[in-house]
Amino acid sequence: DTEVTQTPKHLVMGMTNKKSLKCEQHMGHRAMYWYKQKAKKPPELMFVYSYEKLSINESVPSRFSPECPNSSLLNLHLHALQPEDSALYLCASSTSRGAGNTIYFGEGSWLTVV
Amino acid sequence: GEDVEQSLFLSVREGDSSVINCTYTDSSSTYLYWYKQEPGAGLQLLTYIFSNMDMKQDQRLTVLLNKKDKHLSLRIADTQTGDSAIYFCAESWGDDKIIFGKGTRLHILP
C-alpha cells in the first residue's frame, strides 16, 4: 500500500477564515512534506517533517502553519490567506533518509481563496 | 546550483514510442525520478533510478541515465491514450529535498 490520503479534496475559504488541510499515511514513513503547486507549474516545497520534527521550512509565510501530531499525520493550518495562495496543495511522504528516499504523493487538496 | 530542465511539450502518435528528456545540473544527485500527473490529480511516482545505474526497465518504461552528460530520459513503449499527462523529472541527494523540472506535457495523437 503506497497511499497518502489528503482531505478535503476541495476547499474554498475567505481571507479571514481559519481552515486546515489534513494528510495521512500508514506506510511507516518517517518524512512528510507539504508542496504547493500552481497551474502549469512544478510542485514547490513548503515544509518537511522528519521524525515528527520540522526539518525544512522554505521561507513560507506564517499564514501557513504546519503541524505533525504523530508519525502518520500531517496538517497544514491556514489563516488570513490571500487569493494568490489558491493552488493545489500536495502532501507526500518518504522512507527515512538513506533508504532510497522514494517520495509518494497524495492526490492533493485544491484550495481557492476568495 | 540546482536546476532540472525539460522540454515543455511532446506529441506522439498512439502506438509509437515516446521519449521524454531531462537534464540536470547537480552532479552530486543521488536519485532521479519520473513522476506522472494526470489532469486534476496528484503526482504518481512512475520510476526512479540511482545515480550508479545507467538503465532501468519496468514493463513499458525504460529509463536511461547518462551521468557524464547529466541527461535522463524516459521512454514509453507503445504509447496509449492513458499516457497523456504531464511528466516531471526530479532529482534528490538522499536528503529531504527533491527538485522538480517544469514538466513535459505529453499529447497523444490518434
Side-chain angles (χ1 to χ4, degrees):
Chain A
D1 180 14
T2 55
E3 191 169 294
V4 177
T5 305
Q6 290 188 241
T7 55
K9 289 200 183 327
H10 298 272
L11 177 63
V12 179
M13 61 184 291
M15 289 189 283
T16 57
N17 291 162
K18 281 186 183 181
K19 297 285 185 184
S20 297
L21 304 180
K22 298 185 183 302
C23 176
E24 191 168 357
Q25 58 87 14
H26 295 287
M27 296 178 277
H29 288 174
R30 294 303 185 183
M32 294 187 75
Y33 310 73
W34 280 114
Y35 281 83
K36 174 183 177 180
Q37 187 180 25
K38 300 283 274 185
K40 300 183 182 179
K41 299 285 186 186
E44 297 174 1
L45 182 64
M46 299 175 73
F47 302 104
V48 181
Y49 273 81
S50 182
Y51 291 92
E52 301 167 48
K53 287 187 169 31
L54 184 64
S55 62
I56 295 177
N57 177 340
E58 292 287 290
S59 303
V60 179
S62 60
R63 56 186 186 267
F64 295 92
S65 175
E67 179 199 16
C68 188
N70 60 54
S71 60
S72 299
L73 295 175
L74 184 66
N75 299 321
L76 186 63
H77 301 300
L78 313 170
H79 176 53
L81 294 194
Q82 303 297 311
E84 59 264 29
D85 296 321
S86 299
L88 176 66
Y89 288 84
L90 292 162
C91 175
S93 70
S94 71
T95 52
S96 56
R97 189 178 296 196
N101 202 29
T102 311
I103 300 179
Y104 297 94
F105 284 83
E107 288 294 303
S109 293
W110 290 94
L111 174 67
T112 303
V113 182
V114 296
Chain B
E2 311 153 350
D3 201 12
V4 179
E5 297 285 339
Q6 301 178 241
S7 54
L8 294 180
F9 298 101
L10 177 66
S11 289
V12 172
R13 210 159 286 283
E14 191 175 357
D16 288 350
S17 290
S18 305
V19 180
I20 304 171
N21 295 303
C22 168
T23 56
Y24 57 97
T25 55
D26 195 323
S27 58
S28 63
S29 296
T30 311
Y31 310 102
L32 295 135
Y33 309 84
W34 284 105
Y35 283 87
K36 176 184 180 183
Q37 188 173 35
E38 297 184 50
L43 272 73
Q44 175 194 353
L45 177 64
L46 283 181
T47 186
Y48 64 94
I49 189 167
F50 296 133
S51 59
N52 62 358
M53 298 168 65
D54 50 24
M55 187 184 99
K56 182 177 181 181
Q57 186 153 5
D58 183 3
Q59 299 182 336
R60 293 192 297 123
L61 304 179
T62 303
V63 178
L64 295 177
L65 175 60
N66 181 330
K67 201 171 177 187
K68 175 174 164 289
D69 295 337
K70 301 193 192 74
H71 182 264
L72 183 74
S73 68
L74 173 70
R75 179 177 179 270
I76 306 173
D78 185 25
T79 308
Q80 298 161 13
T81 55
D83 296 323
S84 179
I86 299 176
Y87 291 81
F88 290 98
C89 171
E91 60 172 342
S92 78
W93 298 263
D95 61 5
D96 293 330
K97 284 186 78 167
I98 180 170
I99 303 297
F100 287 89
K102 289 184 167 52
T104 299
R105 185 178 296 273
L106 178 62
H107 177 61
I108 313 301
L109 302 166

